[in-house]
Amino acid sequence: MKHLDPSEMSCPFAAARQETGIGKMDDQNDPVTILLRLKDVRKTAHNWKTFQSEATPGRIVIPSEVNIRETRQIPFEIDPPRHGEYRSLVEAWFKRPLEEDYTSKLTTQIEMAIDEALKNSSLEAVTEMALPIQSRALTLLLNTPYEEAETWISWGTHVFRSEGEALDANKANVLYDYIDRELDKSAKNPGEDLYSVLLNSDFEGRKLNKEEAEGVMVLTFAGGRDTVINALTNSIAYFAEHPESLERIRKEPEITGKTVEELIRYFSPLTQMGRVVTEDTSVCDEDIKADTRVSLCWASANRDESVFENANEVVIDRKINPHVGFGFSHHKCLGATHARQIMKVFIKVLSKKVERIEILDHKDNIEELGEFKRKIGFHSLKVKLHSKLS
Ligand code: EMZ
């Protein structure tokens, strides 16, 4: 096998994407037909009538979470037109990361994290950098006290999975109990946080109920966790191996927005998302039966060589970049504004304060997807940050 640098992420889907456009994987006896081309992924994402999200809760996620949760995540596991009604309740809230005050608090948090890291002779970037940054930034999105992040940090990188990738119902229950308690607190004593905002929302002529609020909160905690952590850790590895890119951003900070999009395309922090087929259909000449699953493989679509020039390279100022790293169509990522701001601020602060990054050790996190194996990030990434001043 070709030796890969730690930051290099090859695309395991390339041959299948070119040959047939589809891949197959089993997942807990509920097989998945994986759609690999950008055009098919987009078309299928649009067609919610045939490819639904509102199936048994957890079934559109791969690996399926049907055995570990019953709560429907909202708006993610709801189809139009109700999907839009739920989404409109929270859309403005999830755009707050664009506000100046939010960005300035986020900048302070990230500056503190990087200053702290610069004091250490080495650190493990997943648990000592990416996880705390993600968790502390989440206090801004939820508008809860900064100290709450300590509890979330103690849960580790994934709320539904333990080390070794097994789905873990006990771990999921910790999150459910926590959200339950917080919703009760906000019901008794409403404040300015997301829990209170949800419980106070009007939906179809009534107040949103606790179960629905829980559905939004679980998604907020789970959806942006390992994804953001992987995006940050992969960025650290990338800049460690490409100091020239860090230098370029130092000189031309105005390209940072493009760099964020390109890194999201290249890393594709969420490999795929499923849909349940409602009627017999076919994609890429493949017959697909009702009540089976397909997946929209963002990671493969983002390397589609018929769309992206030099698809397997990071071009930090890529001009035309119609990537689907945040999904596509009505279900595109609700947390994308927040995630983009975290990445943007992180890269800017890194370029200002850090001269170079040294990788001391790393352990890759590889997803097993049937015939495909895909690197999604790191189990651990030990690095040393060298200050610009030293
Ligand atoms: C689900 C999913 C949402 C799922 C946008 O992705 O993220 C996964 O990490 C969770 O396990 O439950 O929230």
Side-chain angles (χ1 to χ4, degrees), residues 61 65 69 73 76 158 160 219 222-223 226 270 273:
V61 182
E65 294 173 350
R69 68 173 166 95
Q73 294 185 11
F76 160 68
H158 200 290
F160 292 135
L219 175 61
D226 50 329
L270 184 70
M273 188 47 72

Side-chain angles (χ1 to χ4, degrees), residues 244-288:
E244 75 287 355
S245 293
L246 209 54
E247 184 59 34
R248 169 115 191 254
I249 288 164
R250 250 193 295 280
K251 291 195 181 124
E252 294 170 63
E254 64 280 5
I255 70 165
T256 315
K258 287 203 177 75
T259 306
V260 169
E261 298 311 311
E262 176 65 348
L263 292 176
I264 298 292
R265 180 192 72 84
Y266 184 79
F267 302 148
S268 293
L270 184 70
T271 301
Q272 57 185 339
M273 188 47 72
R275 295 287 187 267
V276 174
V277 181
T278 55
E279 58 191 347
D280 290 357
T281 183
S282 72
V283 185
C284 288
D285 297 331
E286 174 83 5
D287 288 334
I288 299 175

Side-chain angles (χ1 to χ4, degrees), residues 49-62:
K49 283 193 176 143
T50 307
F51 303 97
Q52 67 167 177
S53 294
E54 202 166 331
T56 309
R59 193 170 173 210
I60 62 167
V61 182
I62 302 162

Side-chain angles (χ1 to χ4, degrees), residues 76-92:
F76 160 68
E77 291 175 317
I78 301 277
D79 286 318
R82 270 188 124 207
H83 164 268
E85 289 172 33
Y86 278 118
R87 188 158 171 139
S88 66
L89 297 179
V90 285
E91 202 113 52

